[in-house]
Amino acid sequence: MSGQPDLPRVLVVGAEPFQATTGSGVTLANLFEGWPRDRLAQVYTAAVEPSTEVCSRFHRVDPRSSPVDHYGRRLLGRGGGLWERDDPAIGAIPVSAGAPSSARLHAELRALADLSPLRVAGRLAGWVRAFRPDVIYSMLGSVRIMRLADRLARCGGAPLVPHFMDDWPATLYASGELLGYGQRSVRRHLDRVMDRCVGGLCISDAMASEYERRYDRSFAAFANCVDESAFVEPVDGSAQPGALRLSYVGGLHLDRWAALRQVGLALADLPGDLPPPRLTVHAPEADLARYRDRFADCPQVQLGAPLRGAEVTRALAGADVLVHVESFRPELRRYTRFSLSTKIPQYLAAGRPVLAYGPGELASMRHLNAAGAAVGVGVEDRRQLRQALERLCRDGALRGRLARAGHDWAWRHHSRGQVARAFAARLTEVSAVAVPGPVSERTAR
C-alpha cells in the first residue's frame, strides 16, 4: 500500500498506541501495515511507549487533561488500593450481583474518572489541524475516548470511523454506575459519534449485521490479519506424535484463566493408555504473575514465557493442537458475544487443529466452526471436554483434516495482503462521503 499516494490521511484516536503487546495493538498494526507514513498519525492516552514500525507520528494526550482521573489515580494508587485490583475489571463488564462492596466502589470510581471533564488543549487541536486528516479512526471503548475522537473529528472536519471490537455499547456501565448517569452518558456520546459516522467497522460479520440494524449505518467486518510469511504448512496428523503438545497463546483476562484451568484438569482425566499430553500457556507477563497460582493443581499445565512477534509463529508451529477458550460467565458472554479473538487468525494460519472451549453462541466459537478447524465444546461440561481431548489425542487423521481446513480458511479470509487492501478501500470510500446529519432518534432505540 505504500505505493498508493491517494490513500486518505488517517488520524487514529484511542487509548493504546500502535504496539505488539495487546490484542488491539496487534490488530491495529496489522491493518495499517504499509500505510504511507505521511498519511498516518495517532493520538493516544495510555502511558506506554508506541511502536514506530507502522506509524511514526504520535501525540500523547496530557493526562492532566482529565484532572479527576489523573489526580484520583495518584491519590488512590499510593501503596495499592482501589485502582490496583488483583483481577482488574473492564468497565464494560457489569459488576455481578454477588460482587463484594469494594468491586462496586471500584466500578463507581472508574465511571467517575471516565465521565469526568476532558480538556482538548490548543496544542493538540493545532497538531490535528496541521495533519489535515481525511478520516478519524477509533476503536473507542470508553466515554473519554468517544469524547476525544468526536472533538478531534470536529476539529479536523473529518468523518469518524468507529471500529467495535466488543459489544461494549450494550454493557458499559450497565450496573447502574453513578445512579444510571454512566449508561446515559454512553448513549449520548455514542449518538455524537454516529452523527459523524458515514460507515463503521466491526470485528465480526455477526457484529456488523447487528450494528447495521441497531444504528442504521453501514458496517463492514475487519479483524486481525496475518502476514503471508507467517503461514505455516499444515501439520500431517497421520503420524503418531507420542504425547500431544497443546499450546495456548493469549491473555488470561476475561476469566479465560478459569476455562484454561478446566482444560488442564480434563487433561488429568484422560485414560491411562494415552501418553500424558501437556498444555503450555503463553500469556502476557502481568497475566502470568496474576494467575500463576490458579494452575497449581494442574500438573499437565506449564506456564511458558510471554511471546512477541516471530516468537508467536514459532510457538504455534511447535504445537500439535492449539487451544482457544472463552468464559462461561453470563456477563462476559454478553460482552464477548460478537468478538473475534486476535489470536484466531494466527491459529488458523499456523496450520494446526484447534480445541475450542467456550459458549457455542459466541462469534469466536462460530468462526472456528465455520472454518472447519476445531473440535468445539460449546457447553461448560468437563466430561465433554475430556471426550474432545481424547478424540484429538487418538485421531491423527482428524487433526490433519482440521489443520488443512483452518489453513485454507485463513488464506482466504485472514491473509494480510487482501484484508489490508479491503481495509484501505473501505477508509478511502468513507473519506469521500460527506458527514451526515444527526441520527440521535435512531440510535436511541
Side-chain angles (χ1 to χ4, degrees), residues 283-339:
E285 189 172 349
D287 284 6
L288 293 173
R290 185 174 293 118
Y291 301 110
R292 183 178 301 277
D293 293 345
R294 311 295 179 100
F295 297 95
D297 58 347
C298 301
Q300 286 168 250
V301 176
Q302 174 184 352
L303 300 182
L307 303 176
R308 293 176 64 91
E311 294 175 330
V312 173
T313 302
R314 288 194 293 270
L316 298 181
D320 299 306
V321 175
L322 300 173
V323 177
H324 173 70
V325 295
E326 298 285 359
S327 173
F328 287 93
R329 271 174 52 192
E331 61 269 29
L332 292 173
R333 291 169 80 149
R334 187 181 181 199
Y335 175 65
T336 61
R337 58 181 172 159
F338 298 128
S339 303

Side-chain angles (χ1 to χ4, degrees), residues 18-222:
F18 286 87
Q19 56 172 322
T21 57
T22 64
S24 57
V26 168
T27 299
L28 198 62
N30 284 334
L31 289 175
F32 281 102
E33 173 71 28
W35 205 275
R37 284 181 172 262
D38 64 332
R39 292 179 171 268
L40 188 62
Q42 183 170 35
V43 172
Y44 69 98
T45 61
V48 297
E49 192 67 26
S51 167
T52 59
E53 292 181 5
V54 177
C55 178
S56 56
R57 188 180 306 196
F58 295 92
H59 192 297
R60 186 190 170 208
V61 176
D62 188 332
R64 291 170 297 183
S65 298
S66 301
V68 173
D69 179 53
H70 176 63
Y71 292 107
R73 285 179 183 275
R74 290 183 62 180
L75 177 65
L76 296 175
R78 290 173 181 168
L82 288 171
W83 297 114
E84 306 286 339
R85 291 165 54 87
D86 289 338
D87 187 3
I90 293 177
I93 299 173
V95 180
S96 59
S101 57
S102 60
R104 171 67 64 178
L105 178 57
H106 182 271
E108 296 288 339
L109 289 172
R110 184 182 54 224
L112 180 63
D114 186 25
L115 274 59
S116 64
L118 171 71
R119 184 176 66 90
V120 175
R123 179 169 171 265
L124 172 56
W127 187 86
V128 170
R129 291 192 187 99
F131 177 63
R132 295 179 291 107
D134 298 309
V135 173
I136 307 294
Y137 167 97
S138 180
M139 293 183 181
L140 304 177
S142 69
V143 170
R144 179 183 305 161
I145 299 301
M146 282 194 286
R147 186 184 289 145
L148 177 64
D150 173 62
R151 291 186 185 177
L152 296 183
R154 295 175 190 275
C155 172
L160 203 166
V161 178
H163 195 168
F164 296 93
M165 298 287 155
D166 302 284
D167 195 22
W168 57 264
T171 61
L172 184 59
Y173 306 134
S175 301
E177 286 85 346
L178 305 181
L179 300 177
Y181 178 72
Q183 213 170 29
R184 292 194 298 273
S185 184
V186 170
R187 289 194 295 267
R188 184 174 70 254
H189 285 92
L190 193 56
D191 280 347
R192 292 178 64 87
V193 165
M194 289 301 167
D195 285 350
R196 300 199 68 83
C197 172
V198 297
L201 308 176
C202 291
I203 199 168
S204 68
D205 290 327
M207 179 182 272
S209 297
E210 166 64 18
Y211 276 38
E212 285 188 349
R213 182 201 65 78
R214 189 187 295 180
Y215 299 116
D216 194 20
R217 281 283 186 270
S218 170
F219 282 88
F222 287 96

Side-chain angles (χ1 to χ4, degrees), residues 355 375-377 383-393:
L355 170 72
V375 172
V377 181
R383 180 182 62 84
Q384 291 190 39
L385 181 57
R386 178 189 60 77
Q387 291 173 344
L389 284 165
E390 182 176 358
R391 186 181 174 202
L392 283 166
C393 287

